[in-house]
Amino acid sequence: MLPAGLAKDLVVALGTGTMITAVVGFGQTLITASATQRAMVTPLIEENRRALQELSAEYRSLNSEFFPTHVFDASDEPDPAFNQLLMTDLRGTRQYFFRGFAGRHAAARLLVSQGDRELRAVMADPTERSAITGRARYLLQHRRRDHGARTTTTNTGADNGIEALQRQLQEEIHVGLVGLFLARSYCTSMHVTLIADPPLDRVEMFDDSTWITLYSDADAVGSLYPRTLRFSEGSFIYNMERAEFARLSSARSARHMLITPDLGRREFATQFEHVTGARLGTKQFTELAERFHHFRQEFSTLADLRS
């Protein structure tokens, strides 16, 4: 708006120089910021991303090694998802390791799965009173909860209850052994070990997983079906339980049975009497077999098992 002359020329010269300086400075700032980001920020971001990936991989490794893949909470009703997944593991395994009390569940599962595998079982010795004390106390506590019993129960009543349970549990072991004999054609061989101090928890181990049923869980004593954890092959728990199973099954003080598909009833009766101290005549065998089939039908219905 200035008239032509020296003043206008001076203002135009100053404004042009200022604008050029601003444009050049802005460009230099952009270039410097971009270079700084490439030189400092980008490598830092990449390093953080790589560290996070390594940390995630480490956590996944720890989860696989120390944490269960599945957790089934204690309940009074069978969980169909539990039995379905366990039976899937059983059908895909070549070796079935069972550590439990009476072996009835193992025999029932073998009859349902109808595969061709090797069974190695560790069970309670029915001739040893200490072998069934822990399970008898567990069942007695469960029954007390169901019937609303009070802690004022007399010692005589408690002792009688435990003794009755111990006799019942001894018979369950006999039923389990007969059940394994009836399922012998579904295994290449059955190696059964009877020990005097069996762990309270049940363990079922397959090629790809191990299942631990926590009867020792004090918070779930009143539940008919205790809390169960499943760990994958290669985990710390899997390897630990496999080593523990090897230790128990090779104990010198244990009693051993070998059941093969071609084992006859007479030979089985001889082994049965050797490990249990009880005679197994035709009548006794028939009664135990009928009790096992009744248990198998009831268990298969409750667990929703399909052959």
Side-chain angles (χ1 to χ4, degrees):
M1 295 177 64
L2 292 175
L6 180 61
K8 183 175 182 177
D9 293 341
L10 179 61
V11 172
V12 171
L14 292 174
T16 302
T18 301
M19 184 178 63
I20 294 174
T21 301
V23 172
V24 172
F26 180 73
Q28 289 178 339
T29 301
L30 289 178
I31 295 173
T32 302
S34 178
T36 301
Q37 183 176 9
R38 288 196 300 269
M40 299 181 60
V41 180
T42 301
L44 183 61
I45 294 175
E46 293 297 329
E47 184 65 25
N48 288 340
R49 182 181 292 110
R50 184 162 49 252
L52 289 174
Q53 290 175 348
E54 293 176 356
L55 186 61
S56 298
E58 183 177 356
Y59 278 135
R60 285 194 297 269
S61 176
L62 290 175
N63 287 340
S64 175
E65 187 171 358
F66 293 101
F67 293 93
T69 60
H70 296 77
V71 176
F72 298 92
D73 293 328
S75 67
D76 290 326
E77 297 293 335
D79 187 345
F82 165 87
N83 286 288
Q84 182 179 1
L85 182 56
L86 193 148
M87 292 302 296
T88 299
D89 287 350
L90 174 60
R91 293 187 181 98
T93 193
R94 293 174 293 103
Q95 286 186 319
Y96 178 23
F97 294 85
F98 177 88
R99 191 189 75 202
F101 181 77
R104 297 180 302 166
H105 292 83
R109 293 190 186 281
L110 288 171
L111 285 172
V112 172
S113 64
Q114 299 183 359
D116 187 15
R117 59 188 60 88
E118 176 187 4
L119 171 69
R120 292 183 177 272
V122 174
M123 299 163 44
D125 188 341
T127 64
E128 296 287 344
R129 187 181 184 89
S130 60
I132 56 180
T133 300
R135 184 58 60 87
R137 289 176 177 172
Y138 178 91
L139 293 176
L140 186 61
Q141 289 175 340
H142 177 73
R143 292 182 180 182
R144 284 175 178 174
R145 190 208 67 161
D146 287 347
H147 292 85
R150 298 292 184 265
T151 55
T152 56
T153 302
T154 63
N155 291 334
T156 302
D159 292 340
N160 292 337
I162 290 179
E163 290 178 358
L165 279 175
Q166 287 176 335
R167 290 192 297 269
Q168 174 187 334
L169 293 172
Q170 284 179 328
E171 294 177 357
E172 288 182 2
I173 297 174
H174 295 172
V175 172
L177 291 174
V178 171
L180 291 175
F181 173 75
L182 296 175
R184 68 193 184 283
S185 60
Y186 300 112
C187 288
T188 56
S189 64
M190 296 181 177
H191 300 262
V192 182
T193 303
L194 305 176
I195 60 177
D197 55 344
L200 189 58
D201 296 335
R202 179 194 299 159
V203 174
E204 295 181 79
M205 185 175 297
F206 311 102
D207 292 347
D208 300 326
S209 64
T210 182
W211 296 66
I212 304 177
T213 302
L214 301 175
Y215 286 95
S216 60
D217 187 358
D219 295 334
V221 165
S223 300
L224 184 60
Y225 300 94
R227 190 165 182 250
T228 300
L229 309 177
R230 179 187 183 273
F231 294 88
S232 61
E233 179 198 9
S235 65
F236 173 79
I237 300 299
Y238 182 95
N239 295 329
M240 183 185 70
E241 290 296 342
R242 197 175 186 96
E244 176 68 6
F245 189 92
R247 184 188 70 83
L248 293 175
S249 61
S250 61
R252 294 183 178 180
S253 59
R255 303 172 186 268
H256 301 275
M257 293 181 66
L258 177 62
I259 303 176
T260 57
D262 59 349
L263 182 68
R265 184 183 298 183
R266 181 175 300 178
E267 291 81 3
F268 172 74
T270 301
Q271 292 193 53
F272 182 92
E273 183 174 357
H274 174 71
V275 299
T276 65
R279 183 178 178 274
L280 188 65
T282 302
K283 180 180 178 180
Q284 290 84 357
F285 179 87
T286 302
E287 291 177 351
L288 292 175
E290 290 177 353
R291 290 183 57 184
F292 170 74
H293 285 304
H294 175 75
F295 164 80
R296 179 179 63 85
Q297 293 173 358
E298 184 180 45
F299 172 64
S300 299
T301 300
L302 288 174
D304 193 24
L305 301 181
R306 296 289 186 268
S307 58

